């Protein structure tokens, strides 16, 4: 309830392109990952990094559903040393889009951050801005011509995909984006 309230009252600031940084349950990771056991985000990214490092060819990290970049900071710290890996973050940056009627906890337009907050968090995490690439757009529209989008972004291989969408249609669109670029063993 508190988090929903914070999202609701911060909307005007986000729409005015102001950074909205909340420490309420949203820490930005600034250094090496310490907790690598159990089912935590830290452990998930540490294990993904091990798999990515075992690949013979270079590839990218793709995250679908970025919000304010918290998990992008985890991915960065776990995989920044991997063969010039680039970090693509797909999000509307305008809130959830395509929620089904039964997905009442995630109505369209809810839970969003803006690019200003994303870039602020990348700076706090000391991420290399040349390797970070946020891609704004509604997945249901942005991914209609996946091959053209992949070509325009220069994405040829995906070593790690993190599908962090809150609604079915966005998650399905994300999965449909991956077949020709997701490599065996990723």
């Amino acid at each position: 309830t508190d988090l929903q309230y914070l999202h609701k009252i911060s909307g005007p600031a986000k729409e005015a392109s102001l950074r909205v940084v909340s420490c309420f349950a949203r820490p930005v990771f600034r250094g090496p990952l310490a907790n690598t056991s159990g089912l935590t985000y830290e452990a998930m990214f540490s294990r993904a990094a091990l798999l990515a490092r075992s690949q013979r060819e270079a590839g990218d990290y793709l995250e679908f559903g970025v919000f304010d970049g918290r998990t992008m900071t985890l991915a960065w710290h776990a995989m920044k040393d991997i063969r010039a890996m680039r970090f693509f973050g797909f999000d509307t940056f305008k809130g959830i889009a395509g929620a089904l009627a039964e997905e009442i906890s995630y109505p369209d337009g809810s839970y969003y951050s803006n690019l200003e907050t994303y870039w602020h968090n990348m700076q706090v995490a000391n991420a290399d801005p040349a390797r970070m690439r946020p891609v704004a757009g509604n997945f249901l529209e942005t991914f209609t011509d996946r091959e053209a989008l992949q070509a325009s972004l220069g994405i040829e291989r995906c070593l790690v995909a993190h599908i962090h969408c809150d609604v079915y249609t966005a998650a399905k669109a994300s999965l449909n984006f991956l077949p020709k670029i997701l490599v065996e063993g990723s």
Side-chain angles (χ1 to χ4, degrees):
T1 305
D2 290 340
L3 190 56
Q4 289 174 336
Y5 176 72
L6 277 173
H7 286 296
K8 183 177 180 177
I9 64 169
S10 64
K14 294 173 190 176
E15 291 163 15
S17 297
L18 298 173
R19 291 182 301 207
V20 177
V21 180
S22 168
C23 294
F24 181 74
R26 304 261 346 136
V28 171
F29 290 82
R30 297 184 172 107
L33 303 181
N35 182 356
T36 57
S37 63
L39 293 175
T40 63
Y41 274 127
E42 295 88 342
M44 179 181 74
F45 285 110
S46 292
R47 290 184 177 129
L50 288 173
L51 290 171
R53 283 186 190 92
S54 71
Q55 293 293 318
R56 292 183 182 150
E57 295 182 49
D60 297 316
Y61 170 83
L62 279 63
E63 183 168 322
F64 302 89
V66 174
F67 188 61
D68 62 4
R70 177 184 179 268
T71 51
M72 287 289 286
T73 65
L74 284 165
W76 168 255
H77 286 293
M79 296 178 263
K80 63 186 172 189
D81 65 328
I82 297 175
R83 303 178 230 121
M85 177 181 274
R86 297 172 300 164
F87 296 77
F88 291 89
F90 298 90
D91 202 291
T92 64
F93 295 102
K94 293 184 178 183
I96 290 174
L100 301 175
E102 60 269 21
E103 295 172 315
I104 58 174
S105 295
Y106 302 100
D108 279 2
S110 63
Y111 297 107
Y112 71 98
S113 189
N114 57 24
L115 283 166
E116 291 77 14
T117 303
Y118 167 87
W119 281 117
H120 170 79
N121 288 339
M122 294 307 106
Q123 182 180 14
V124 168
N126 201 29
D128 180 355
R131 293 176 58 196
M132 308 306 283
R133 178 80 188 267
V135 182
N138 178 336
F139 295 2
L140 306 178
E141 299 164 1
T142 307
F143 297 159
T144 55
D145 188 350
R146 74 170 184 255
E147 290 179 6
L149 180 59
Q150 289 165 356
S152 72
L153 296 171
I155 300 172
E156 296 177 7
R157 295 172 43 86
C158 175
L159 294 184
V160 178
H162 180 210
I163 299 176
H164 195 196
C165 305
D166 295 310
V167 298
Y168 172 81
T169 56
K172 183 177 179 185
S174 301
L175 285 168
N176 289 336
F177 186 78
L178 293 168
K180 293 189 178 182
I181 59 171
L182 197 61
V183 299
E184 186 175 336
S186 59

